[in-house]
């Protein structure tokens, strides 16, 4: 355990130092809620999110300490792409439906030239359809190989960062 604690501590210090070089005092608001029906009180310039990866990680169990620390209800029955639902055709279809609801809802609060950035492990290529059915256009995408994680599994995988905008 000590080996990982030391590694993560050094990594944390490095990240804080890097962040302090680019930090601004822009307004940031964090909203805790179900993105499929959350309401914002103002328009925003954009959204940056990493939604759950369908059927891969039990996010509520992984972050249980944070829910307990901040006394936030877990609501695991509402999780989009829950690992307990598996990685099959039915779970992928439900994931698409839920993500479309989420993006349609949040798009209502994004300024006309605003952007949505989504980090996703899209191994089933679901996001082009999700974007289209949400009234969004994928403007750009970047591929990112993930080789270092906090879990013990060492097999690298790929993530895609999508930049989306409202379709005209």
């Amino acid at each position: 355990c000590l080996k990982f604690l030391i590694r993560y501590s050094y990594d944390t210090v490095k990240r804080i130092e890097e962040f302090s070089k680019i930090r601004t005092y822009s307004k940031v608001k964090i909203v805790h809620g179900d993105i499929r029906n959350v309401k914002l009180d103002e328009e925003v310039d954009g959204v940056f999110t990493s939604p759950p990866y369908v059927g891969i990680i039990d996010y509520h169990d992984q972050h249980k300490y944070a829910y307990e620390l901040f006394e936030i209800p877990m609501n695991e029955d509402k999780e989009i792409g829950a690992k307990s639902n598996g990685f099959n055709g039915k779970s992928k279809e439900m994931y698409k439906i839920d993500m479309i609801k989420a993006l349609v809802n949040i798009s209502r609060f994004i300024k006309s030239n605003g952007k949505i950035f989504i980090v996703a492990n899209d191994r089933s290529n679901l996001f082009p359809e999700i974007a289209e059915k949400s009234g969004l256009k994928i403007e750009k995408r970047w591929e990112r190989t993930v080789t270092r994680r906090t879990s013990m599994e060492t097999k690298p995988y790929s993530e895609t960062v999508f930049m989306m905008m409202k379709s005209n």
Side-chain angles (χ1 to χ4, degrees):
C1 239
L2 185 59
K3 179 176 100 175
F4 291 108
L5 184 58
I6 290 169
R7 185 175 103 198
Y8 294 137
S9 296
Y10 279 117
D11 183 62
T12 300
V13 169
K14 180 182 168 201
R15 289 171 189 249
I16 291 170
E17 287 172 347
E18 290 172 355
F19 176 71
S20 68
K21 292 176 188 171
I22 61 171
R23 182 180 182 167
T24 67
Y25 291 93
S26 298
K27 181 180 173 187
V28 174
K29 183 175 184 178
I30 298 170
V31 178
H32 180 259
D34 187 333
I35 193 168
R36 291 167 289 197
N37 55 38
V38 73
K39 290 177 177 58
L40 302 181
D41 53 6
E42 61 185 316
E43 280 193 322
V44 297
D45 295 314
V47 172
F48 194 104
T49 186
S50 180
Y53 301 167
V54 62
I56 295 177
I57 299 170
D58 184 337
Y59 291 93
H60 284 83
D61 186 52
Q62 186 178 49
H63 299 290
K64 187 175 182 176
Y65 68 92
Y67 288 102
E68 292 171 354
L69 179 66
F70 295 110
E71 298 178 350
I72 299 171
M74 288 194 31
N75 296 322
E76 58 262 36
D77 57 319
K78 296 179 183 176
E79 183 177 336
I80 296 173
K83 183 177 183 179
S84 60
N85 293 338
F87 188 74
N88 53 45
K90 183 180 177 186
S91 62
K92 288 185 224 177
E93 286 305 311
M94 194 63 218
Y95 182 82
K96 288 191 288 188
I97 290 166
D98 284 336
M99 287 303 301
I100 291 165
K101 285 180 186 175
L103 291 171
V104 165
N105 181 55
I106 204 65
S107 292
R108 298 180 310 137
F109 304 101
I110 296 175
K111 294 177 183 174
S112 62
N113 61 346
K115 295 173 180 59
I116 298 174
F117 290 91
I118 298 177
V119 180
N121 179 336
D122 195 21
R123 63 184 176 177
S124 296
N125 199 35
L126 304 177
F127 275 86
E129 180 183 347
I130 290 169
E132 181 183 343
K133 290 185 175 178
S134 301
L136 300 170
K137 181 179 177 200
I138 297 173
E139 295 286 331
K140 205 168 188 179
R141 60 190 293 159
W142 298 268
E143 298 299 323
R144 172 182 182 268
T145 301
V146 178
T147 57
R148 292 187 73 152
R149 305 190 309 237
T150 56
S151 68
M152 297 302 288
E153 188 178 322
T154 58
K155 183 180 175 188
Y157 65 92
S158 181
E159 290 179 327
T160 304
V161 180
F162 296 95
M163 181 180 81
M164 301 180 188
M165 295 182 75
K166 294 179 186 179
S167 298
N168 291 330

